[in-house]
Amino acid sequence: MTLAEILKLAPVIPVMTIEDEAKAVPLARALVAGGLRALEVTLRTPAAMGSIRRIVQEVEGVVVGAGTVTSAAARQAAADAGCQFAVSPGLIEGEGADGPLPLLPGVATPTELMWGLRAGYTHFKLFPADVLGGTALLKAFSGPFPQAIFCPTGGIDATNARDYLALANVVCVGGSWVAPADLVRAGDWGAITALAAEAARF
Ligand code: 3PG
């Protein structure tokens, strides 16, 4: 699947930071059951890579991405683990749109966007979206950069996701609110499926 196709699977990409590998598969199943098929697992914990491998092997219908990918080596490792996409908080030096797997790079400024477009990217993560100016910034970017499509992430939840999704240059949003740490700790998969189902209808 291309990055464009992956980002169109659902209005929300859950951002999961998994501490306990044993929770990875039930968490992913709960999100997919709610209608969110593209999932991002951040590479911020020792459990991340093992969690990705388990989800890839055991969860039907899922499209797994690695998040917090900040180097070429991490992009390659994500591909080797079976990921179908990678997400970065920024642009990775030397890493263009062509590579071992589709990459959604983060941008925060017009200059970064110009560098990203020159590197062949068409889809960007606006990060951290709320701190940078949220929907007002995305509207401002649509003038000089009509070809850039965004998945804003950072500070987005059920209260403001629709505002972002209403914009013509937003294809989907990312966020951790559909997999809250307390519900994951408690193993309340039903509540997580309900949050995902709500988000899938945005
Ligand atoms: C992140 O990298 O942590 C994501 O941007 C998630 O942000 P959020 O927790 O504000 O949804």
Side-chain angles (χ1 to χ4, degrees):
M1 256 192 260
T2 65
L3 187 59
E5 289 165 343
I6 291 168
L7 298 180
K8 275 191 211 143
L9 286 173
V12 178
I13 296 183
V15 178
M16 303 140 67
T17 298
I18 302 176
E19 305 286 350
D20 176 3
E21 197 178 307
K23 296 241 159 67
V25 166
L27 172 57
R29 282 201 180 118
L31 292 163
V32 171
L36 304 182
R37 285 183 57 204
L39 310 179
E40 175 185 338
V41 179
T42 66
L43 301 184
R44 293 184 207 167
T45 62
M49 273 298 178
S51 297
I52 286 170
R53 282 194 208 93
R54 282 207 198 186
I55 294 169
V56 167
Q57 280 162 16
E58 297 178 40
V59 182
E60 210 174 319
V62 76
V63 175
V64 186
T68 323
V69 169
T70 56
S71 67
R75 186 183 190 184
Q76 183 63 55
D80 294 344
C83 286
Q84 286 180 261
F85 67 106
V87 184
S88 179
L91 296 165
I92 304 172
E93 197 181 351
E95 288 294 291
D98 294 328
L101 83 174
L103 175 65
L104 180 71
V107 294
T109 67
T111 302
E112 291 165 7
L113 202 41
M114 287 158 60
W115 279 73
L117 289 165
R118 204 183 319 150
Y121 294 101
T122 52
H123 292 70
F124 300 89
K125 166 176 171 163
L126 180 76
F127 179 77
D130 62 334
V131 176
L132 295 170
T135 55
L137 180 61
L138 287 159
K139 279 181 205 157
F141 277 179
S142 72
F145 307 111
Q147 70 277 51
I149 310 290
F150 294 92
C151 169
T153 305
I156 299 178
D157 60 24
T159 67
N160 58 6
R162 285 186 191 84
D163 299 336
Y164 285 93
L165 291 164
L167 301 177
N169 58 350
V170 170
V171 60
C172 63
V173 301
S176 60
W177 88 92
V178 285
D182 55 336
L183 293 183
V184 174
R185 251 192 316 272
D188 193 344
W189 312 126
I192 288 174
T193 295
L195 286 172
E198 179 194 32
R201 288 191 298 267
F202 284 168

